[in-house]
Amino acid sequence: LSAGVCCCCAALRPRYKRLVDNIFPEDPKDGLVKADMEKLTFYAVSAPEKLDRIGAYLAERLSRDVVRHRYGYVLIAMEALDQLLMACHSQSIKPFVESFLHMVAKLLESGEPKLQVLGTNSFVKFANIEEDTPSYHRRYDFFVSRFSAMCHSCDQDPEVQTEIRIAGIRGIQGVVRKTVNDELRATIWEPQHMDKIVPSLLFNMQKIEDIDSRTGPQSSPTRGVKEENPSVLAENCFRELLGRATYGNMNNAVRPVFAHLDYHKLWDPNEFAVSCFKIIMYSIQAQYSHHVIQEILGHLDVRKRDSPRVRAGIIQVLLEAVAIAAKGSIGPTVLEVFNTLLKHLRISVDLELGDRRSSAGSATLSTSSKESDERIVQNAIIQTIGFFGSNLPDYQRSEIMMFIMSKVPVLGTTSQTLDPSHLGDLGTRRIQIMLLRSLLMVTSGYKATTISNALPAPFLDPLLSPCLMEDSELRQLVLEILHNLIDRHDNRAKLRGIRIIPDVSDLKIKRDKISRQDVSFMKKHGQQLYRHIYLGCKEEDNVQKNFELLFTSLALTTIELANEEVVIDLIRLAIALQDLAIINEDNLPMFNRCGIMALVAAYLNFLSQMIAVPAFCQHVSKVIETRSVEASYFLPETIFKDKCDLPKSLEKDETDLFFLTNKIAESLGGSGYSVERLSVPYVPQVTDEDRLSRRKSIVDTVSLQVDILPGNSTEDKVDNTEEITFEALKKAIDNNGLEEQEKEKRRLVIEKFQKAPFEEIAAQCETKANLLHDRLAQILELTIRPPPSPSGTMTITAGHAHYHSVPVYEMKFPDLCVY
């Protein structure tokens, strides 16, 4: 009877339960009953409304078996669930999925590693199923937490530990894939989830750095190695996660990286941090690169008071990031990058100098070490600025060049962000050098179509200003930057070093015909370039490198910008430098004087061969040959040796050793050159840069000495002169209260006196002086007679008034009006 009752009870049970019970064999070792599983699958497909009940019953059985440790039946239940999931794709599968996820959660909560792995495998299969309709209520918070915990498994058995960690990583990968494909995929990008997922992946990625301290790049692992290596699997999952990030959730995926690196102190050393951000930059979509850069800059601001090595590590990461981002679109982040880096450059200099001042008189090892660490920070900033700028497109690079140049502090002025008043001369010089070094890197490889594009006036003026400063390193940096911008055909390497080049044609110099834009540039700014080369040669602290860079400047100007007019100007400049060394009004050391003579020899040798005028080449070669025999210290090969015997004096009468203007003019005139201007000595123009560089102006005032000749006698000439300066002319003109047109004329005169070449001013003032003399005679009807004695006085007769013995320089004409 009891057996009959049992049979009746079994017959009265719902069909879906009977079908589920039939798939379980008496001995779990026999595995799933396949025939009965096919019947259950057919029933589920035919009656999808029963799926939720089938799932609930399977979950009930699985929970009971887990508690009773009947793991064989647990495996059978999960296999059945997997097959039902793969076979059923109707809307009614949603309740069944809930039961399925409940069973997976039960397995993950168990302490048995095999069940955890089993549950993970089932979840991964489920994650790969594309559901017909989205789920608006399903959440995966538990699975994110559980899989993240499995990624940090610390089981005593290494094999079990690896197995659980791999399962956790694969589970996270499954969650990411499932949620990204879901309509509600934004939930996975919430900070509470990312704060668990990202550190778990980084923790496993870090293990490969700890275990395998390789020096070279890792060889691509085989598929089997990928499956067994948690670090490789975690890296792949991390790349996939970042690749799926969008504009709105990019920051949530990146910020946990900073927290992990901070907590585990991975900025020093920063190899792992660099590798992490390389993965990030290459994995995300290119248009989102600026998000990552902004996050790095923000974190640098947060850690600005940390140790120098930590800051240097963050800056190094930024360098790697911008190196990748600069090849794509980086949006509005360009100026933000430079602003932030310049700010931290100032902070680093402040910290270094502050430590130095606080430890003055008690130099300790720790202070010295900290200063050295700050230098590492500063070098990292410079490298980042330069590398970032050099990888920008040309149109952006020119703007960055202007931006950096505007930040270079100049003594006596203030800049937008770097006020040197609190830094002192030492701090200001340090920032000047570092910014110029970064600008040198930015200009490397820059090829402008015209020189005016590479050297616009707002950039040229502040760039050349440091050429007047009494610091040889600053001047060297400026010249190197100038070379980067002028050298459009990569000839600089062929000109490296200062020497007498036997045959310039062997260098295979590349050049194009000078354009009209370049001709216009030289007419406007040529005098500026000549001036700074001339003044750069006068510096007492010049070393061999300075002379080499000055030679290269002259040679590149010849190659890129020289027409016939510029060639004449360059020859005038070279002769003026030779006279500077010979006359030595500035009391230069003998080494500097010989160095200038060697520079002139090397350059005229180069120029004569470039323009290929035989007579000019012959004269230059003859002087060089004479020097090699009688005064080898005037040649670069000798004077720049470590041990060179310097002469005690330079004799002005030894014309065979000098390049002569008349012979150069004669040789060039025969070849069609206009050599009239060679007879006018070159004198550099005077600007406000002399004040900014804390030096005396070369010429305080521009004046002319006008001889006053006797009217009727030719026997004696009055030797006295009247100094007519610009100020005197201005006062005379102002006395009549000129109208607006005359004021404009005065403004133009002032501008001409400030910017025009000296020879032009001299010629114009001479004409004005002659006009002034004639006007004096007409207005005052003066009779000028020679004085009775050479006492420097003269008698002036005007009408009935007689003025005797009035010194010439004291004559005043208050009613004088010059038109």
Side-chain angles (χ1 to χ4, degrees):
L1 181 63
S2 61
V5 172
C6 291
C7 291
C8 291
C9 291
L12 293 175
R13 297 183 68 192
R15 184 181 178 187
Y16 73 90
K17 287 189 177 181
R18 285 183 278 131
L19 291 173
V20 170
D21 291 337
N22 290 339
I23 67 173
F24 292 93
E26 293 184 3
D27 187 355
K29 294 180 180 179
D30 295 337
L32 184 67
V33 180
K34 294 183 179 179
D36 291 325
M37 186 64 214
E38 292 176 358
K39 294 178 183 179
L40 178 61
T41 302
F42 179 77
Y43 177 78
V45 174
S46 302
E49 69 276 3
K50 300 293 185 180
L51 267 174
D52 58 335
R53 300 182 185 182
I54 294 173
Y57 185 62
L58 275 171
E60 180 185 345
R61 288 202 54 151
L62 183 137
S63 300
R64 185 172 62 247
D65 292 334
V66 169
V67 173
R68 296 176 179 178
H69 300 285
R70 299 169 62 179
Y71 298 140
Y73 288 119
V74 172
L75 294 175
I76 294 173
M78 291 307 299
E79 185 178 354
L81 283 170
D82 292 342
Q83 291 190 23
L84 288 173
L85 276 175
M86 301 300 293
C88 303
H89 294 283
S90 65
Q91 295 182 357
S92 302
I93 200 175
K94 302 304 177 187
F96 176 75
V97 169
E98 297 303 324
S99 300
F100 168 78
L101 293 178
H102 176 69
M103 287 185 282
V104 172
K106 284 287 185 183
L107 295 179
L108 296 177
E109 286 178 333
S110 68
E112 183 63 34
K114 291 183 179 179
L115 295 185
Q116 294 178 2
V117 173
L118 177 63
T120 302
N121 293 337
S122 295
F123 183 85
V124 171
K125 292 177 183 178
F126 161 71
N128 292 327
I129 297 176
E130 294 184 5
E131 300 182 49
D132 296 333
T133 57
S135 174
Y136 295 100
H137 63 282
R138 189 185 308 152
R139 295 184 65 87
Y140 298 94
D141 299 19
F142 167 80
F143 295 99
V144 170
S145 300
R146 189 58 193 158
F147 288 136
S148 299
M150 292 170 62
C151 290
H152 293 83
S153 173
C154 296
D155 195 279
Q156 294 181 353
D157 187 345
E159 294 183 0
V160 174
Q161 181 188 104
T162 301
E163 189 177 14
I164 295 177
R165 287 186 179 182
I166 290 176
I169 297 168
R170 293 180 65 238
I172 289 177
Q173 195 172 29
V175 172
V176 171
R177 290 177 180 176
K178 193 63 178 176
T179 53
V180 167
N181 293 329
D182 201 336
E183 290 292 332
L184 298 180
R185 60 182 178 272
T187 56
I188 195 63
W189 299 106
E190 294 176 358
Q192 63 266 29
H193 299 320
M194 287 292 105
D195 290 344
K196 297 174 184 176
I197 292 175
V198 173
S200 300
L201 298 176
L202 295 178
F203 175 76
N204 285 276
M205 290 167 57
Q206 183 184 349
K207 291 302 177 181
I208 195 172
E209 302 293 336
D210 296 340
I211 300 172
D212 181 18
S213 57
R214 59 189 184 280
T215 56
Q218 184 183 19
S219 58
S220 56
T222 61
R223 184 172 182 178
V225 174
K226 285 184 179 180
E227 293 177 354
E228 297 299 330
N229 195 334
S231 58
V232 176
L233 185 62
E235 181 179 327
N236 293 336
C237 183
F238 189 51
R239 291 180 184 274
E240 184 177 350
L241 174 68
L242 294 168
R244 297 175 184 270
T246 59
Y247 180 84
N249 49 48
M250 173 60 64
N251 293 342
N252 290 340
V254 174
R255 286 170 184 164
V257 178
F258 294 104
H260 179 83
L261 297 175
D262 288 344
Y263 181 77
H264 293 279
K265 299 180 180 179
L266 297 175
W267 294 112
D268 177 33
N270 68 338
E271 288 81 3
F272 179 71
V274 170
S275 65
C276 281
F277 279 92
K278 281 185 177 180
I279 292 172
I280 292 173
M281 296 303 295
Y282 281 117
S283 300
I284 62 175
Q285 300 180 46
Q287 63 268 30
Y288 303 148
S289 297
H290 64 280
H291 279 286
V292 180
I293 295 176
Q294 286 174 336
E295 290 295 323
I296 299 175
L297 292 173
H299 196 69
L300 182 59
D301 286 336
V302 171
R303 305 296 299 272
K304 63 183 178 182
R305 296 299 176 185
D306 279 28
S307 67
R309 291 190 174 272
V310 169
R311 286 181 282 127
I314 299 175
I315 295 169
Q316 180 67 27
V317 168
L318 178 64
L319 171 62
E320 299 293 340
V322 298
I324 299 170
K327 300 175 183 178
S329 173
I330 52 177
T333 320
V334 178
L335 292 182
E336 183 181 354
V337 170
F338 286 102
N339 264 327
T340 304
L341 290 176
L342 292 176
K343 179 177 68 176
H344 285 277
L345 184 63
R346 165 66 184 273
I347 291 173
S348 178
V349 173
D350 279 344
L351 292 174
E352 179 187 0
L353 297 180
D355 293 336
R356 182 177 298 179
R357 287 189 292 265
S358 63
S359 61
S362 58
T364 61
L365 182 62
S366 60
T367 303
S368 176
S369 175
K370 191 167 185 180
E371 287 182 6
S372 177
D373 290 344
E374 290 296 342
R375 294 291 180 94
I376 295 175
V377 175
Q378 294 159 16
N379 291 332
I381 293 175
I382 293 170
Q383 189 178 9
T384 304
I385 291 175
F387 195 85
F388 189 20
S390 63
N391 281 278
L392 290 174
D394 286 345
Y395 72 92
Q396 277 188 324
R397 203 193 307 196
S398 59
E399 295 178 359
I400 294 305
M401 288 158 48
M402 298 276 291
F403 180 79
I404 296 177
M405 199 66 239
S406 68
K407 302 299 181 184
V408 177
V410 179
L411 294 173
T413 64
T414 57
S415 60
Q416 297 177 15
T417 59
L418 298 176
D419 181 8
S421 59
H422 301 295
L423 294 174
D425 291 352
L426 179 60
T428 301
R429 177 187 176 275
R430 288 287 308 280
I431 291 181
Q432 287 172 333
I433 289 177
M434 288 185 283
L435 288 180
L436 289 176
R437 283 174 55 193
S438 63
L439 185 59
L440 178 63
M441 295 184 65
V442 171
T443 56
S444 177
Y446 180 64
K447 296 291 187 298
T449 54
T450 62
I451 294 298
S452 57
N453 291 339
L455 291 169
F459 177 73
L460 180 63
D461 294 337
L463 174 64
L464 294 179
S465 293
C467 280
L468 302 180
M469 296 181 182
E470 298 177 351
D471 189 302
S472 62
E473 187 176 358
L474 280 174
R475 300 195 301 274
Q476 291 171 12
L477 289 171
V478 171
L479 291 175
E480 289 178 350
I481 293 168
L482 195 64
H483 298 168
N484 282 346
L485 298 173
I486 293 179
D487 185 20
R488 293 173 289 181
H489 297 87
D490 298 323
N491 292 312
R492 182 176 36 173
K494 305 170 185 177
L495 301 168
R496 186 169 291 124
I498 180 171
R499 64 196 186 281
I500 303 297
I501 303 173
D503 190 352
V504 174
S505 61
D506 292 341
L507 301 180
K508 297 181 180 180
I509 299 292
K510 297 179 183 179
R511 63 185 305 190
D512 294 329
K513 185 178 179 181
I514 184 171
S515 64
R516 278 188 289 181
Q517 294 89 341
D518 292 344
V519 171
S520 176
F521 174 85
M522 289 304 292
K523 287 183 177 179
K524 292 181 180 179
H525 305 290
Q527 293 297 327
Q528 264 183 293
L529 295 176
Y530 307 149
R531 159 189 165 82
H532 286 84
I533 292 174
Y534 180 87
L535 297 179
C537 292
K538 295 176 63 175
E539 300 297 337
E540 294 186 6
D541 61 341
N542 279 340
V543 294
Q544 179 178 349
K545 185 176 180 180
N546 292 88
F547 288 109
E548 290 177 353
L549 293 174
L550 289 165
F551 167 74
T552 305
S553 300
L554 290 167
L556 289 176
T557 304
T558 305
I559 296 170
E560 298 286 350
L561 302 169
N563 56 5
E564 289 188 5
E565 183 178 350
V566 174
V567 166
I568 297 299
D569 286 337
L570 289 171
I571 293 175
R572 291 175 56 228
L573 174 60
I575 297 301
L577 290 174
Q578 178 179 257
D579 294 341
L580 171 68
I582 296 173
I583 300 173
N584 196 27
E585 292 181 349
D586 296 284
N587 296 321
L588 294 175
M590 185 57 67
F591 170 79
N592 295 66
R593 298 172 68 186
C594 293
I596 294 174
M597 298 291 283
L599 168 64
V600 173
Y603 173 64
L604 289 181
N605 172 70
F606 176 82
L607 176 62
S608 63
Q609 296 186 55
M610 287 296 294
I611 63 177
V613 176
F616 185 24
C617 293
Q618 185 177 4
H619 172 64
V620 172
S621 298
K622 183 177 180 181
V623 173
I624 292 175
E625 290 176 2
T626 305
R627 289 185 178 185
S628 62
V629 175
E630 300 179 9
S632 60
Y633 41 78
F634 285 165
L635 298 178
E637 289 81 359
T638 302
I639 187 59
F640 295 123
K641 287 182 179 179
D642 293 336
K643 295 180 180 180
C644 174
D645 295 331
L646 298 175
K648 296 181 179 179
S649 63
L650 296 183
E651 298 297 334
K652 302 178 182 179
D653 299 332
E654 298 179 357
T655 56
D656 292 342
L657 300 177
F658 306 141
F659 301 98
L660 304 179
T661 305
N662 58 344
K663 291 189 177 182
I664 295 175
E666 182 182 349
S667 62
L668 293 180
S671 298
Y673 282 82
S674 178
V675 296
E676 290 80 8
R677 295 176 60 242
L678 281 177
S679 59
V680 182
Y682 170 78
V683 178
Q685 62 184 9
V686 184
T687 68
D688 289 339
E689 291 175 327
D690 300 294
R691 176 181 59 80
L692 296 180
S693 63
R694 293 184 174 180
R695 313 179 159 212
K696 283 189 175 181
S697 178
I698 313 166
V699 183
D700 292 333
T701 57
V702 180
S703 61
L704 288 175
Q705 301 254 326
V706 181
D707 292 335
I708 302 179
L709 302 178
N712 299 322
S713 175
T714 58
E715 297 178 0
D716 298 321
K717 292 185 179 181
V718 179
D719 223 4
N720 302 297
T721 59
E722 177 185 0
E723 184 178 54
I724 302 176
T725 66
F726 172 73
E727 294 296 326
L729 292 175
K730 182 178 177 182
K731 289 179 181 178
I733 293 173
D734 285 343
N735 285 337
N736 272 352
L738 296 176
E739 298 178 353
E740 291 298 322
Q741 184 178 3
E742 297 298 322
K743 292 181 180 179
E744 178 66 14
K745 288 182 180 180
R746 288 204 307 274
R747 188 189 66 79
L748 294 175
V749 170
I750 294 172
E751 183 177 354
K752 190 171 187 66
F753 268 80
Q754 290 177 341
K755 297 184 178 180
F758 178 78
E759 53 270 22
E760 279 188 47
I761 298 175
Q764 186 175 4
C765 289
E766 185 177 1
T767 303
K768 293 287 185 181
N770 294 333
L771 183 62
L772 174 63
H773 183 274
D774 295 338
R775 183 62 66 184
L776 285 171
Q778 293 177 9
I779 295 177
L780 302 178
E781 296 180 356
L782 294 176
T783 302
I784 304 178
R785 296 193 299 271
S789 64
S791 60
T793 61
M794 64 195 317
T795 303
I796 300 176
T797 304
H800 298 287
H802 298 276
Y803 302 91
H804 301 283
S805 303
V806 180
V808 175
Y809 59 83
E810 290 184 358
M811 291 193 301
K812 297 180 181 179
F813 306 99
D815 298 326
L816 177 63
C817 180
V818 180
Y819 297 94

